[in-house]
Amino acid sequence: MLWITCPTCGRRPVEEYSFGGELRGVREGITDPIARDIDYAWMYDNIEGVTVERWFHRAGCRRWLTLRRDTTTDSVVAYPLPGGPRGR
Amino acid sequence: MRFYQHSLELYQTLEEELDSWFMHETKGLMWLAHTETQMRAERARSLLNLACGAETVMITPQEAKALCPQLDLSGGGRYPVLGASYHPAAATARHDRVVWAYAQGAMRRGVHVVQHTRVTGLVRDGERVTGVETSAGRISASVVLSAVGGSVSTVAAHAGVRLPIRTHPLQAFVTNGYDFPFAGIVSDTELLCYVSQTERGQMLIGAEYDAQPSYSLRSSFSFLQSSAAKITHLLPFLRDLRILRQWTGICDISADFSPIMGHTGVDGFLVTTGWGTWGFKAIPAGGEQMAQLIATGRAPALIEPFGLERFASDQTMADPGSTGTH
């Protein structure tokens, strides 16, 4: 089972958290602003490997955090600083 | 909905056509509702189904009890059953038998099925996709169709395509044998889980997919815990059974819970994906319609609304209900 270390509350089980989705971006090479919006709104990288994503500690301190998770093993590999640069 | 209905019709004759038996059995499916809002949703579901030719009726709690005597109508005191929608034509089939029957049927007709071979990339000639790089070498093709489940984003990334797809794990488990017959398939709108009995008499229990996307095939104890807690509210007899086996698969869930079939914007590269947890019933129609698309180069009317372009043109499907029928 996935355990996530919250900067405020410590190591807690995944049931306490809400998944906030991968950090959204736009594919390189798209220049048309409308096409960029569509890409941003609908498309996912859905990476098979290490991905950067947002989590919300719903049943704890109710703060957002950003972390790196390996989707092939469903385990957290790194915790960027809270409030730090939002990945990528 | 029409598309799925067509698929079900194809299933009726599929055993004969492929000359194999895959335990296709009509069982009947009920969706239990516990609140007024859910009753309304089920009423909408049954009316939509009726309009598309899939017989579905609203039944009272007593009728549900008559169909499935094991049901606790008080829902353990917490989830009282107000009613249900009932789809008598719902059926189950043995999934691996369907896969093998299709593979054998295709091979009899001269199709090569290459097993244990990994797609490592796509061959590109300028903007066009002209083949597939695999662990066994290069295969050229004028059209490449990605019909992979789960890892579709990884394949599409080779062609520089992003998809509105997220890959979630879906878990299920079976108990030891239950000696009495259990009628049909029981699903629940509030608890989002379903129960049916396998040919061997084991009780099969499944629930919604995991909240966070992942490609991991690891099963979790928390899943067993939560779905067992949910389902014993409705079917108390399950408490006396033991869990025998648990497994996990990965599903490609699209942003609007409807499949994506057709062109990707890259020449020579097509996808059929977003089949999520319900694609099984759509296999015959999905295959037939995609073959037509490849042969003619144009999407047949039945699957035209399922194109990837629908996200850009703001024509997303509002059809999540269809996924839970049959």
Side-chain angles (χ1 to χ4, degrees), chain B residues 27 38 40 53-54 66 89 155 176 186 193 257 291 296:
Chain B
K27 287 184 171 173
Q38 287 164 0
R40 231 170 286 150
V155 173
N176 58 349
V186 176
C193 53
F257 295 94
T296 62

Side-chain angles (χ1 to χ4, degrees), chain B residues 21 29 40 47 51 59 103 108 156 161 167 185 215 222 249 258 269 272 289 292 299:
Chain B
W21 174 59
L29 160 74
R40 231 170 286 150
L47 288 174
I59 55 174
R108 270 202 301 273
V161 174
T167 302
I185 313 158
Y215 292 84
S222 59
S258 278
F269 183 61
T272 166
Q289 301 288 313
Q292 225 181 89

Side-chain angles (χ1 to χ4, degrees), chain A residues 5-80:
Chain A
T5 305
C6 169
T8 338
C9 313
R11 195 162 175 269
R12 312 295 301 171
V14 68
E15 278 81 13
E16 290 192 6
Y17 293 84
S18 293
F19 178 67
E22 65 179 43
L23 272 186
R24 310 297 290 275
V26 178
R27 205 185 77 212
E28 282 168 37
I30 304 182
T31 45
D32 176 47
I34 291 174
R36 282 182 72 87
D37 285 353
I38 291 164
D39 199 69
Y40 179 84
W42 290 109
M43 304 302 171
Y44 299 101
D45 284 335
N46 196 20
I47 292 167
E48 192 170 353
V50 178
T51 157
V52 186
E53 54 196 20
R54 302 278 283 162
W55 285 80
F56 177 60
H57 197 183
R58 190 186 67 250
C61 57
R62 302 190 67 79
R63 277 168 197 273
W64 285 89
L65 65 150
T66 310
L67 53 82
R68 280 171 208 277
R69 187 173 61 101
D70 188 342
T71 56
T72 55
T73 56
D74 198 13
S75 55
V76 176
V77 289
Y79 297 91

Side-chain angles (χ1 to χ4, degrees), chain B residues 4-285:
Chain B
Y4 296 115
Q5 189 60 20
H6 175 59
S7 196
L8 268 287
E9 281 154 20
L10 291 176
Y11 256 121
Q12 300 297 337
T13 55
L14 195 60
E15 279 182 315
E16 215 170 284
E17 191 182 332
L18 296 175
D19 194 21
S20 83
W21 174 59
F22 40 77
M23 305 182 192
H24 185 275
E25 198 188 340
T26 305
K27 287 184 171 173
L29 160 74
M30 65 172 98
W31 275 98
L32 302 174
H34 305 291
T35 63
E36 261 319 306
T37 319
Q38 287 164 0
M39 283 298 283
R40 231 170 286 150
E42 288 315 301
R43 229 165 270 142
R45 185 205 295 275
S46 60
L47 288 174
L48 175 70
N49 287 1
L50 273 178
C52 299
E55 195 204 342
T56 308
V57 288
M58 292 303 291
I59 55 174
T60 62
Q62 286 69 35
E63 286 169 314
K65 179 93 179 165
L67 284 165
C68 174
Q70 290 95 338
L71 208 59
D72 177 2
L73 289 181
S74 74
R78 249 183 102 179
Y79 297 103
V81 176
L82 289 190
S85 70
Y86 183 63
H87 175 47
T92 59
R94 187 81 199 150
H95 49 89
D96 41 358
R97 279 181 171 268
V98 174
V99 174
W100 284 112
Y102 258 113
Q104 282 167 353
M107 276 148 76
R108 270 202 301 273
R109 285 163 177 77
V111 175
H112 291 274
V113 178
V114 189
Q115 296 186 71
H116 304 293
T117 307
R118 199 183 165 88
V119 172
T120 52
L122 293 169
V123 186
R124 299 184 68 173
D125 177 17
E127 286 296 294
R128 266 192 75 84
V129 170
T130 56
V132 186
E133 293 280 5
T134 72
S135 51
R138 177 178 292 200
I139 302 169
S140 326
S142 53
V143 176
V144 176
L145 166 68
S146 158
V148 293
S151 293
V152 61
S153 296
T154 314
V155 173
H158 292 308
V161 174
R162 293 213 306 165
L163 295 169
I165 294 285
R166 286 192 278 189
T167 302
H168 291 265
L170 178 77
Q171 307 191 36
F173 64 90
V174 288
T175 66
N176 58 349
Y178 177 56
D179 294 339
F180 304 94
F182 181 82
I185 313 158
V186 176
S187 315
D188 193 287
T189 45
E190 165 88 31
L191 304 166
L192 292 173
C193 53
Y194 61 88
V195 185
S196 70
Q197 192 172 31
T198 67
E199 301 292 316
R200 274 179 285 196
Q202 303 166 340
M203 300 306 296
L204 166 73
I205 295 151
E208 59 186 325
Y209 54 78
D210 293 6
Q212 77 271 24
S214 155
Y215 292 84
S216 163
L217 296 177
R218 212 176 293 163
S219 303
S220 72
F221 180 71
S222 59
F223 165 77
L224 285 183
Q225 207 175 22
S226 69
S227 37
K230 284 177 191 172
I231 205 69
T232 46
H233 279 302
L234 293 166
L235 298 162
F237 76 94
L238 289 171
R239 283 187 196 136
D240 301 329
L241 300 178
R242 285 160 199 280
I243 293 165
L244 208 64
R245 218 148 41 81
Q246 178 188 15
W247 65 93
T248 304
I250 52 174
C251 324
D252 32 348
I253 311 276
S254 75
D256 63 355
F257 295 94
S258 278
I260 299 165
M261 292 179 266
H263 299 280
T264 55
V266 174
D267 262 357
F269 183 61
L270 277 67
V271 288
T272 166
T273 181
W275 290 106
T277 62
W278 57 86
F280 185 65
K281 66 178 174 220
I283 293 170

